Amino acid sequence: MATIFTKIINREIPANIVYENDKVIAFKDINPAAPIHILVVPKKEIATINDIQAEDRELIGEMYLAIGKIVKDLGIDKEGYRIITNCNEFGGQEVFHLHFHILGGKRLGALLAD
């Protein structure tokens, strides 16, 4: 079954896309945890960070290059931002398609939630 992210990649559901190339897509989170909250998603379905394979190293690098461009475009590269990847239930992962959260636009608090 396709994840919501795959449906966004395939344009089956809308998203506010801020970046896209042939390997990566990035869009605004619909439930933002900060003034700037972007999800960076590989177009290849990888369920969790545990499922990354050696052949995915270029793709993961491409995701980080996309993050670098996005934070510059949004003007948060100098003030700072946070990158988060959740993994599995205890890590808070809700969509089982690897993704990085970019959080910024304000001073961010503690990392651990209750």
Side-chain angles (χ1 to χ4, degrees), residues 3-13 20 24-25 27 41-45 97:
T3 69
I4 189 169
F5 294 164
T6 299
K7 291 178 181 180
I8 289 170
I9 292 164
N10 293 334
R11 303 302 199 268
E12 295 170 22
I13 58 175
E20 184 173 17
V24 176
I25 190 167
F27 46 89
V41 181
K43 290 186 175 179
K44 176 183 178 183
E45 287 187 19
H97 185 142

Side-chain angles (χ1 to χ4, degrees), residues 16 18 27-39 70-71 74-76 79-82 84 101-109:
N16 190 338
V18 298
F27 46 89
K28 292 183 178 181
D29 193 297
I30 60 169
N31 188 22
I36 295 173
H37 189 164
I38 306 295
L39 301 177
I70 293 163
V71 298
L74 295 173
I76 61 171
E79 291 179 334
Y81 54 93
R82 185 174 291 160
I84 297 174
H101 297 255
I102 301 172
L103 299 171
K106 72 173 188 175
R107 184 174 299 277
L108 300 171

Side-chain angles (χ1 to χ4, degrees), residues 37-87:
H37 189 164
I38 306 295
L39 301 177
V40 181
V41 181
K43 290 186 175 179
K44 176 183 178 183
E45 287 187 19
I46 301 171
T48 75
I49 201 164
N50 295 334
D51 299 302
I52 296 171
Q53 302 297 309
E55 64 266 17
D56 298 321
R57 69 174 49 98
E58 184 178 323
L59 176 59
I60 301 307
E62 190 71 34
M63 292 177 73
Y64 277 102
L65 290 171
I67 289 168
K69 180 172 181 0
I70 293 163
V71 298
K72 285 178 186 147
D73 289 349
L74 295 173
I76 61 171
D77 56 316
K78 303 279 190 277
E79 291 179 334
Y81 54 93
R82 185 174 291 160
I83 304 300
I84 297 174
T85 303
N86 300 321
C87 186

